Amino acid sequence: MNTQTTQSPQFYLTAPAQCPYLEAERERKVFTHLVGPRAGEMNDLLTQGGFRRSQNIAYRPACEHCRACVSVRIVAGEFLLGRSLRRIQARNADLVGVERPAYATAEQFDLFRTYLDSRHQRGGMADMSLDDYKVMVEETHVETRLIEYRVATGLLEEEGELVAVALSDFMVDGLSMVYSFFNPAYVKRSLGSFMIIDHVARARTMGLPYVYLGYWVKGSRKMDYKKRFQPQEHLTGQGWERADPGDFEA
């Protein structure tokens, strides 16, 4: 693998592959490596430019005929909880979220496997082993944290049941949610949405303006949940612009 550390990153283009979100489309990605002393700075710049991080790779869609993927970020300082999100927050009032270093544990992996086996049996991560999970979490040259969400017991933070985990990058202008997973048995808790609500609160506390959610994919029902978190900005050809509710129409 090329681990270049030059001032100007080198970009590469993947071969076409089946799109995981839209069955009729073929996806391509442009990517570069995030290594060396400027990896954090480069990750900030690339994320602001619509890239996502996976381990030591920053990538973004570069499809030939499709522009359905849209980079989304929540405006944390103006975020308002609607009625349904307030209910989600209330249902999870017994959870405690604790930031930890990007270090993988067997307990996290057990929850990760439960999540994959329930929600993503045919996905590209379906066969991931503990070693693969460790690489996903620990192979980073940027400021990355794990946030563990446990049921509060009144005892030590580590003793409550682990129900959700978020792997997030801490950037100069916000938090970027790289990957999150949760116990699918607690469907009524809406843990995926709760973690986003919690990240907005954390960004506000830290004085950071944004929470980066990755891509909203027009026409993909599995991405519809991102509509709920307003106000938000979308990356367009003219830069980041405030999204209008009509932008979500198929």
Side-chain angles (χ1 to χ4, degrees):
M1 177 179 291
N2 186 335
T3 56
Q4 49 81 23
T5 59
T6 58
Q7 287 293 104
S8 298
Q10 300 177 25
F11 291 89
Y12 308 89
L13 188 64
T14 65
Q18 176 62 49
C19 176
Y21 301 108
L22 302 175
E23 292 185 2
E25 301 295 341
R26 303 279 287 174
E27 72 166 0
R28 299 191 77 176
K29 297 175 182 177
V30 60
F31 69 94
T32 189
H33 297 93
L34 291 170
V35 294
R38 296 184 63 242
E41 176 187 352
M42 187 59 60
N43 185 53
D44 285 0
L45 291 172
L46 290 174
T47 301
Q48 292 160 6
F51 281 72
R52 295 288 285 164
R53 185 183 70 80
S54 177
Q55 300 170 37
N56 292 329
I57 298 293
Y59 67 90
R60 67 169 297 172
C63 306
E64 295 177 5
H65 305 295
C66 179
R67 297 294 181 268
C69 292
V70 179
S71 294
V72 172
R73 66 187 185 187
I74 302 169
V75 183
E78 300 178 40
F79 177 70
L80 295 175
L81 285 170
R83 182 178 300 176
S84 63
L85 293 181
R86 287 198 300 271
R87 288 197 294 266
I88 291 172
Q89 187 177 51
R91 286 197 293 267
N92 292 285
D94 60 335
L95 299 188
V96 176
V98 180
E99 289 180 21
R100 303 199 181 282
Y103 178 76
T105 67
E107 182 185 28
Q108 294 164 11
F109 178 70
D110 287 344
L111 180 61
F112 178 68
R113 283 279 10 141
T114 299
Y115 173 76
L116 290 182
D117 293 342
S118 174
R119 296 293 185 95
H120 301 286
Q121 295 179 351
R122 298 180 180 179
M125 305 172 78
D127 297 326
M128 285 181 65
S129 65
L130 176 57
D131 287 340
D132 296 328
Y133 175 73
K134 287 182 177 179
V135 170
M136 183 182 82
V137 170
E138 299 177 8
E139 193 167 300
T140 174
H141 288 251
V142 307
E143 186 177 352
T144 304
R145 296 285 185 272
L146 280 168
I147 303 176
E148 293 184 344
Y149 296 88
R150 297 178 181 273
V151 178
T153 62
L155 301 174
L156 297 177
E157 293 173 340
E158 295 83 359
E159 294 185 358
E161 179 187 0
L162 181 66
V163 297
V165 177
L167 179 67
S168 301
D169 290 344
F170 284 53
M171 300 170 21
V172 68
D173 70 339
L175 303 179
S176 177
M177 299 184 70
V178 176
Y179 193 79
S180 60
F181 53 94
F182 52 85
N183 189 333
Y186 294 115
V187 62
K188 292 184 178 180
R189 283 184 177 269
S190 300
L191 288 165
S193 292
F194 173 72
M195 284 189 279
I196 296 175
I197 294 170
D198 182 69
H199 273 66
V200 174
R202 290 173 184 273
R204 281 177 162 174
T205 299
M206 298 171 68
L208 299 174
Y210 303 113
V211 173
Y212 289 84
L213 292 185
Y215 303 114
W216 169 66
V217 183
K218 190 171 185 177
S220 174
R221 293 183 62 186
K222 68 177 66 175
M223 290 293 184
D224 280 351
Y225 73 93
K226 297 185 181 182
K227 300 177 183 180
R228 308 175 72 182
F229 302 93
Q230 300 288 338
Q232 61 182 239
E233 295 178 350
H234 292 178
L235 185 60
T236 73
Q238 289 71 48
W240 288 97
E241 296 183 342
R242 183 67 63 101
D244 183 273
D247 295 341
F248 290 108
E249 297 302 322

